[in-house]
Amino acid sequence: MHRVLDCIPADVSATQLGVSWNGELPAVLAERLIDAPGHPSSLHLAVIGGSHVVTVDAPSGQFREEISCDAPQAAGACWPLPEDVDEGGYRLLTRTRAFSPDAFETAGDAIAAGGGDWLIATFPGVGRHHLTALKGEFVAGEWRWWTHHLYPGELTIVSTRSTYRP
């Protein structure tokens, strides 16, 4: 699902990203809900201001990950965005890559062509690939999700992979 948004993105620098957990749900610009086959839980993928919030709802409770420029202001947040977090059934891996202009365009084309399993939101701004992309699935009793945050003005892509076992 590809959404073209007509708003000014709030998150415009990869260096300002942080992560927070279990906060309030911010205003959502684009979203997708995925139900777990054979399990009473769901995954809510949401694009916010150029970044993302992912929420798992399960009988054991709710879990929320927010990666954004606002996340560092929350209690218990991590900033800058850590490369690896592994706590209590949750794991976050982050990869930040800087590109040449041509390599950024090539990587951006591949991410933008992500297919129907991806929630892709494109923002107005510098370059054609000012976008956020999210994908999630439920496998072997855990939720897995992947994200890409593209910053054309910095020629940078921040990619994350998270898992959570409800």
Side-chain angles (χ1 to χ4, degrees), residues 28-156:
V28 171
L29 300 173
E31 62 191 333
R32 181 173 184 196
L33 183 64
I34 303 169
D35 290 318
H39 191 271
S41 66
S42 63
L43 184 74
H44 180 240
L45 304 172
V47 174
I48 58 164
S51 293
H52 81 266
V53 173
V54 174
T55 306
V56 175
D57 280 308
S60 59
Q62 186 178 78
F63 173 80
R64 179 169 289 136
E65 169 195 271
E66 177 179 342
I67 294 181
S68 71
C69 292
D70 288 333
Q73 300 168 21
C78 286
W79 181 87
L81 188 60
E83 290 182 12
D84 190 359
V85 174
D86 191 354
E87 292 182 17
Y90 168 76
R91 179 100 194 253
L92 167 68
L93 299 171
T94 303
R95 182 174 173 203
T96 301
R97 297 171 290 158
F99 293 87
S100 69
D102 289 342
F104 182 85
E105 288 299 313
T106 299
D109 286 343
I111 291 168
D117 290 346
W118 286 86
L119 169 62
I120 301 171
T122 303
F123 295 88
V126 177
R128 337 183 259 127
H129 295 305
H130 196 228
L131 62 86
T132 299
L134 299 92
K135 177 183 176 180
E137 66 182 4
F138 188 78
V139 176
E142 74 179 11
W143 282 104
R144 302 172 184 175
W145 60 93
W146 301 264
T147 73
H148 300 290
H149 302 242
L150 281 69
Y151 297 93
E154 299 174 344
L155 299 174
T156 300

